[in-house]
RNA sequence: GCCUCUGUGGUGGAAUUGGUAGACACGCAGGACUUAAAAUCCUGUGGCCUUAACAGCUGUGCGGGUUCAAGUCCCGCCGGAGGUACCA
């Protein structure tokens, strides 16, 4: 009876499906074990051999745990919302749901062929309304939550509202927007609906806020930070720019500390945890305020005025009264314009009759420094006056637009459009407060991790986007600062990131005061300071910070030293950035070690009330909205500009149909195209959709109760299954999915829905499987055309000529040695012979073919490499027949030296269609069977390691299964096993158990081979040995073992058979073959009874005849005997 | 630059706590079976030197160290892979 894997595998796959063998029980007396694979995005390309690597490993663990008596949850599903299906839809018009469905079916087919023990009844698809209903529901819970820093928990928004009603927001200790305005309880109660909504929005964990986002014009959507790599989108590689946008975001920053601390409790790889730690980026430091010194005259310190105090103080009172008087009797056109401007109708606040310098402006927008004047009748004198007035106002930093009465009354819309455009054009910060005035700010706040270096500050640097830049710039510096800021802002993110060696910056002309010495410190603007981190301003200590050092050297700024380096160091060349050394030139810090100096400095800073110890995180809030179609609709509608969440019974908010999957003409997301898609037919829904990570942030919970229509999952099931015991997936999700899923888990826990703090206890990253390409060399320009050209070339295409790797190597070697001999080399002779063969064949096959093939210039430059399909190559030897069928133009191809043993070159590259190196698991299943594929993928090497796919060793694994099969075919003996047989079996049980427990699957396969080799040598046919053996193998090769199990006469599946127990008694040896070494060098073996004492062993070994030879008559200095290990003699 | 991982025959890799380096498999070489091929089986296979044979020397990226004993531990370098970055 032969091993026909195809029949066997089909039979058992059908059996498992029909009997629902791998259905997980919802409650059980058995202990639970949850093995989860990171679910795949069903792409059009189908699975390649890299995908199943992790699935096979998890399947082995799942099957092993079933043998070990666990109730195992091992589900699979699809992350089926996403960009590729939508991009395909844009190109073809095909609905992404259809593409997705097709791709899923293909995935399922491929997965089924490999024989995974998934519980398919629990399959989830994130694009299924029954699933995303609950994604939307969780979004609403998070929307209706805030983060209470006092309880360090997510809390329902109600508790915040009742606090507002009682005390306003002044006592609230929450994670919220920067610069929230304070309000009292009574103010809260007096708030309009809109004001209340806005106030709460600053606290919600899912919130709508304005922020700089990663905008990708090519994809037409914003992206989260982890979706952007090197300034381009991770998917598609399109450029990404920074853009200020109103966006749904998630306040993941609230969880930064918990996300960081939680890592210590997890059994994940160090590199993964390290990635997350770095992404969270906690740094402990100090905030520190530097007092501003108003410019140009430092004497006026303390007279800094508010931003709206724009009038000349000398005549302010007068002007004010005058303005008041003027306010009532507005001309008709002035009134018309006022009605159009007031209440932020153009998004910005306007004031009327506002004193500026010595004037009173008609209308003014202080935020934009824009003045609108409405003029009466124009006569020349007035015109002159107006021009004078405009000039003065311009000098004060205001733009002035003038309209006539007629313009306002007749074409108000045009007037409004002009104003609106101007408001949009003028950058809000640039022109503010020209003249170096500090405005309302009295200080610059910096963040530093090195407060000990405070006496080494030689300048302060602001990010170009810093809000004080414009105000602090003196008139003399205005032009150059504005220019710099504009350039810095327009520099793309990519440029800024890649061009880090370039030092740029400009001085503002203003100064701050050193908090301890009172010295003046210049303020610079430099783009090495990031607006988004800390306060967007740094105190520069060039002697002890590398970046500051570079900047200072570039601009010739001083490098005051405050720390004595602990080793030789040239401070002029390089900064001493180590946290080591003694403080000098630092007043009260002198003589302290850095660590103590930091503590002391913080204490002094806090005492002086100019700053305090502070912790900063690099982690940013996660942008949640996507301006795309194929994702979960965000369950929000807008009524009077106020966002409201849908109620639970209105879910799911189903993704509507649209005519095109493109943005609308005015740039709205595709969902804006949906016809009559309105809440209660009246209110607009949110038009952006959720990002890919929404659905994957909780799918591990849904598997516990996948069909529940009343809840996202039943509490009793979540309490039973708790968290994932083993999660296997790629490391590419380190800072995306794996961080977000931890965030949602913590939020859901705080809100009382689940009882676990972390989603997955143990996580393994499977390594990537790279492609191994095969290449051959094509000759170019090898046919010499006959002079008697008769146009036959059109009838006969030139046969292609290829050379093997060996010949190519020979030719290139010869080329390098630059042949000088006149005699033809061996290679030349070979080539010449080949030339004749080709021409002879050509003549007989195609008599009309007039061209001759010649090898005139056998240099390697005449050849170029082409990729051949790896599927027509085995062990690097090209299958000549398949090659000729591969492409029509190769039909008559010549292979040199010969069709047999034509060796291809190889290279390890990314697996891709264009390299012809993609290997799909289907073909491997077809050729060798699923069991061989499973064993071979494991046999390749450690699971976590990346490795190139090559099938060179697969025959070994396939041979092993055949050998295993042969062991079971024939008479099975019921006799008692021999000692040797038992020893082999139990040694294997021991190793396999240990291997699986430490996820070392490659060694398991080797151990099976050793075991089967030994049992074959022993001609073992004992049931008592063979039965336990196939249970051991069954997690790895489930089909063949099921078949053998039934051949052995069992009617039940092998899947739940008890895993064999290791019995050490069978491994006890009477003798041990001691290696005897002299001075650590192994010389000979000696077999001794294990019962001997070390002293006896020493005696026997020393007396052994071989020992005499190595002792050379000397007495050994020392003899080490380690029982059952080694004997070492020191001479 | 920093962080994590990693470096062992022609190749994939093994050596779990310091204790016989190279298990297992591929490839290669030789042989058996066969008209032939495939399949299968057997033998050999780190390098060097030498031999009839035994044996000897050397050997886990490089240089040191600890130890009776180092692929494994420590120090200093070099190479490869991945992650990450003006993060103050």
């Amino acid at each position: 009876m032969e091993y026909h894997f195809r029949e066997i595998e089909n039979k058992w796959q059908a059996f498992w499906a029909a009997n629902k063998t791998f259905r997980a029980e919802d409650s059980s007396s058995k202990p639970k074990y949850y093995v989860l694979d990171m679910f795949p995005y069903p792409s059009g390309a189908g699975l390649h051999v890299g995908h199943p690597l992790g699935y096979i490993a998890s399947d082995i663990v799942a099957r092993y745990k079933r043998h070990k008596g666990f109730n195992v949850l091992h589900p699979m599903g699809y992350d089926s919302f996403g960009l590729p299906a939508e991009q395909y839809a844009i190109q073809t018009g095909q609905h992404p749901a259809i593409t997705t469905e097709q791709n899923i079916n293909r995935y399922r087919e491929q997965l089924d062929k490999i024989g995974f023990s998934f519980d398919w009844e629990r399959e989830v698809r994130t694009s299924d309304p029954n699933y995303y209903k609950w994604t939307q529901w969780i979004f609403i819970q998070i929307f209706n939550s805030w983060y209470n820093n006092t309880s360090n928990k997510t809390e329902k928004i109600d508790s915040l509202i009742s606090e507002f009603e009682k005390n306003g927001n002044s006592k609230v200790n929450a994670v919220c927007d920067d610069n929230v305005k304070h309000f009292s309880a009574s103010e809260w109660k007096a708030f309009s609906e809109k004001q209340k909504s806005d106030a709460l929005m600053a606290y919600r964990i899912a919130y709508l806020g304005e922020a700089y986002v990663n905008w990708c014009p090519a994809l037409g959507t914003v992206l989260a930070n982890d979706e952007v790599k090197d300034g381009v989108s991770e998917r598609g590689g399109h450029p990404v720019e920074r853009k200020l946008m109103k966006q749904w975001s998630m306040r993941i920053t609230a969880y930064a500390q918990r996300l960081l601390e939680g890592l210590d409790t997890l059994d994940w790889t160090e590199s993964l945890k390290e990635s997350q730690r770095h992404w969270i980026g906690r740094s402990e430091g100090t905030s520190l305020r530097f007092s501003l010194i108003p410019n140009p005259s430092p004497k006026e310190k303390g007279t800094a005025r508010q931003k709206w105090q724009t009038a000349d103080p000398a005549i302010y009172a007068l002007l004010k009264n005058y303005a008041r008087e003027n306010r009532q009797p507005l001309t008709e056109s002035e009134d018309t314009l006022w009605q159009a401007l007031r209440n932020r109708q153009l998004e910005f606040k306007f004031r009327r009759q506002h004193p500026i310098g010595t004037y009173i402006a008609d209308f003014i927008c202080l935020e934009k420094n824009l003045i609108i004047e409405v003029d009466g009748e124009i006569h020349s004198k007035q015109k002159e006056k107006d021009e004078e007035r405009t000039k003065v106002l311009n000098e004060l930093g205001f733009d002035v637009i003038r309209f006539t009465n007629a313009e306002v009354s007749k074409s108000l819309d045009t007037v409004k459009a002009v104003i609106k455009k101007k408001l949009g054009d003028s950058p809000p910060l640039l022109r503010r407060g020209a003249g170096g005035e500090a405005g309302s700010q009295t200080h610059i706040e910096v963040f530093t991790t090195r407060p000990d270096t405070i006496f080494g500050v030689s300048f302060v640097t602001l990010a170009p986007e810093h809000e004080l830049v414009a105000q602090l710039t003196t008139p003399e510096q205005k032009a150059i600062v504005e220019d710099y800021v504009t350039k810095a802002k327009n520099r793309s993110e990519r440029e800024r990131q890649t061009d880090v060696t370039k030092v740029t910056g400009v001085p503002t002309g203003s100064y701050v005061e050193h908090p301890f010495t009172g010295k003046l410190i210049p303020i610079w603007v430099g783009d090495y300071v990031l607006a988004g981190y800390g306060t967007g301003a740094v105190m520069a200590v060039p002697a002890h910070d590398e970046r500051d050092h570079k900047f200072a050297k570039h601009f010739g700024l001083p490098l005051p030293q405050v720390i004595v380096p602990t080793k030789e160091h040239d401070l002029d060349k390089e900064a001493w950035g180590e946290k080591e050394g003694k403080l000098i030139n630092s007043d009260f810090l002198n003589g302290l070690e850095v660590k103590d100096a930091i503590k002391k400095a913080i204490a002094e800073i806090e005492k002086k009330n100019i700053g305090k110890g502070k912790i900063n995180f690099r982690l940013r809030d996660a942008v949640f909205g996507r301006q795309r179609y194929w994702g979960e609709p965000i369950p929000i509608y807008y009524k009077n500009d106020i966002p409201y969440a849908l109620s639970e019974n209105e879910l799911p908010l189903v993704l509507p149909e649209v005519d095109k999957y493109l943005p609308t003409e005015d740039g709205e997301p595709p969902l804006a195209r949906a016809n009559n898609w309105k809440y209660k037919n009246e209110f607009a829904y949110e038009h952006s959709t959720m990002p890919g990570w929404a659905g994957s942030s909780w799918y591990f919970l849904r598997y516990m109760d996948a069909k529940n229509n009343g809840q996202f999952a039943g509490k009793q099931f979540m309490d039973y299954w708790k968290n994932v015991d083993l999660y296997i997936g790629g490391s590419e999700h380190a800072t995306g999915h794996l961080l977000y899923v931890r965030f949602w888990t913590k939020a859901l826990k705080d809100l009382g829905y689940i009882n676990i703090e972390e989603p997955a206890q143990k996580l393994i990253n499977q390594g990537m499987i790279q492609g191994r390409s095969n290449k051959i060399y094509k000759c170019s320009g090898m046919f010499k055309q006959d002079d008697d050209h008769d146009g036959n070339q059109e009838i006969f295409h030139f046969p292609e000529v290829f050379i093997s790797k060996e010949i190519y190597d020979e030719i290139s070697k010869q080329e390098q040695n630059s042949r000088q001999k006149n005699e033809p080399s061996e290679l030349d002779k070979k080539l010449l012979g080949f030339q004749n063969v080709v021409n002879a064949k050509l003549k007989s096959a195609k008599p009309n073919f007039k061209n001759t093939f010649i090898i005139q210039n056998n240099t390697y430059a005449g050849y170029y490499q082409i990729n051949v399909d790896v599927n027509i190559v085995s062990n690097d030897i090209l299958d000549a027949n398949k090659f000729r069928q591969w492409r029509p133009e190769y039909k008559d191809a010549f292979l040199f030296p010969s069709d047999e043993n034509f060796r291809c070159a190889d290279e390890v590259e990314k697996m891709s269609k264009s390299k012809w190196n993609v290997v799909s698991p289907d073909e491997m299943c077809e050729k060798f069977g699923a069991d061989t594929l499973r064993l071979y993928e494991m046999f390749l090497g450690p699971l976590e390691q990346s490795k190139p796919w090559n099938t060179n060793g697969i025959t070994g694994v396939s041979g092993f299964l055949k050998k295993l099969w042969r062991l079971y075919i024939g008479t099975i003996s019921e006799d008692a096993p021999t000692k040797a047989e038992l020893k082999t079996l139990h040694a294997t049980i021991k190793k396999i158990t240990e291997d699986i427990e430490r996820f070392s699957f490659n060694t398991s396969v080797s151990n099976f081979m050793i075991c089967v080799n030994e049992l074959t040598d022993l001609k073992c046919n004992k049931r008592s040995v063979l039965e336990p053996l196939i249970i051991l193998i069954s997690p790895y090769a489930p089909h063949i073992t099921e078949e053998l199990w039934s051949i052995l006469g069992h009617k039940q599946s092998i899947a739940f058979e008890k895993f064999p127990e290791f019995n050490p008694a069978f491994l006890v040896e009477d003798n041990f073959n001691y290696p005897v070494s002299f001075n650590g060098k192994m010389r000979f073996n000696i077999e001794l009874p294990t019962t001997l004492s070390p002293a006896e062993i020493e005696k026997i070994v020393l007396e052994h005849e071989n020992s005499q030879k190595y002792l050379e008559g000397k007495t050994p200095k020392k003899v080490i005997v380690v029982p059952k290990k080694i004997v070492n003699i020191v001479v």
Side-chain angles (χ1 to χ4, degrees), chain A residues 171-379:
Chain A
K171 286 186 194 158
V172 171
N173 179 16
V175 180
C176 58
D177 287 356
D178 297 335
N179 313 319
V180 285
K181 290 193 187 96
H182 281 268
F183 51 81
S184 65
S186 55
E187 280 172 314
W188 166 261
K189 282 172 194 153
F191 274 177
S192 69
E193 181 93 9
K194 169 76 178 155
Q195 283 170 314
K196 279 185 178 171
S197 162
D198 289 347
L200 284 173
M201 198 56 93
Y203 293 86
R204 292 182 190 274
I205 292 180
Y207 66 98
L208 192 56
E210 199 157 82
Y212 276 101
V213 295
N214 307 302
W215 173 253
C216 179
L219 294 173
T221 186
V222 302
L223 299 168
N225 289 340
D226 65 280
E227 290 166 324
V228 182
K229 294 250 145 77
D230 300 326
V232 296
S233 67
E234 200 183 18
R235 276 201 191 270
H238 307 291
V240 169
E241 51 196 51
R242 305 284 286 164
K243 196 175 170 186
L244 194 65
M245 269 179 87
K246 208 164 199 191
Q247 271 304 310
W248 282 99
S249 295
M250 290 261 172
R251 229 177 278 279
I252 188 173
T253 44
Y255 301 81
Q257 185 62 34
R258 278 167 75 187
L259 288 169
L260 194 65
E261 282 166 4
L263 288 172
D264 296 334
T265 68
L266 297 177
D267 187 7
W268 293 12
T269 61
E270 204 44 45
S271 72
L272 186 56
K273 292 205 258 186
E274 210 43 56
S275 283
Q276 292 212 344
R277 282 190 194 111
H278 190 260
W279 193 260
I280 296 166
R282 183 185 198 268
S283 61
E284 246 172 88
T286 318
S287 74
L288 182 55
R289 288 188 299 274
F290 284 83
S291 292
L292 284 166
I293 297 172
N295 226 311
S297 68
K299 278 179 201 154
E300 279 179 25
K301 194 177 158 194
T303 60
R305 292 173 294 154
Q306 295 300 310
K307 200 164 69 181
W308 42 267
Q309 292 175 327
T310 44
D312 187 332
I315 56 164
Y316 176 64
L318 217 114
L319 280 171
K320 196 173 78 177
N321 282 336
Y322 185 60
R324 283 229 174 99
E325 273 169 33
N326 255 13
R327 213 165 270 178
Q328 274 316 313
L330 284 179
T331 64
E332 198 184 309
S333 51
E334 278 174 333
D335 187 53
T336 312
L337 188 57
W338 176 237
Q339 295 311 325
L341 294 177
R342 64 186 304 186
N343 286 339
R344 292 181 178 262
Q345 287 179 67
L346 299 180
E347 286 182 44
F348 293 93
K349 184 177 172 70
F350 274 88
R351 293 156 198 266
R352 60 179 166 143
Q353 299 297 322
H354 192 81
I356 303 288
T358 55
Y359 296 107
I360 293 176
D362 286 350
F363 304 102
I364 181 163
C365 172
L366 287 170
E367 261 173 280
K368 291 282 189 177
N369 284 5
L370 181 66
I371 290 169
I372 318 276
E373 300 265 52
V374 180
D375 300 328
E377 282 166 329
I378 299 166
H379 40 82

Side-chain angles (χ1 to χ4, degrees), chain A residues 702-768:
Chain A
R702 185 65 179 174
Y703 282 132
M704 298 172 183
D705 189 12
K707 300 221 167 73
N708 197 325
N709 285 324
Q711 289 164 287
F712 68 96
K715 193 144 197 326
Q716 73 274 28
F717 302 119
M718 294 192 287
D719 285 346
Y720 174 70
W721 290 109
K722 297 195 180 73
N723 54 6
V724 175
D725 296 285
L726 173 66
Y727 195 22
I728 298 186
S731 57
E732 66 273 20
H733 300 103
T735 52
H737 162 62
L738 289 176
L739 204 54
Y740 298 129
V741 69
R742 296 182 59 219
F743 154 41
W744 279 33
T745 302
K746 288 175 198 304
L748 288 173
K749 187 200 175 199
D750 289 350
L751 295 173
Y753 296 113
I754 58 178
N755 274 328
I756 50 167
E757 177 79 16
E758 292 286 349
Q761 192 51 45
K762 165 89 188 163
L763 185 142
I764 299 178
N765 291 130
Q766 93 255 26
M768 236 194 303

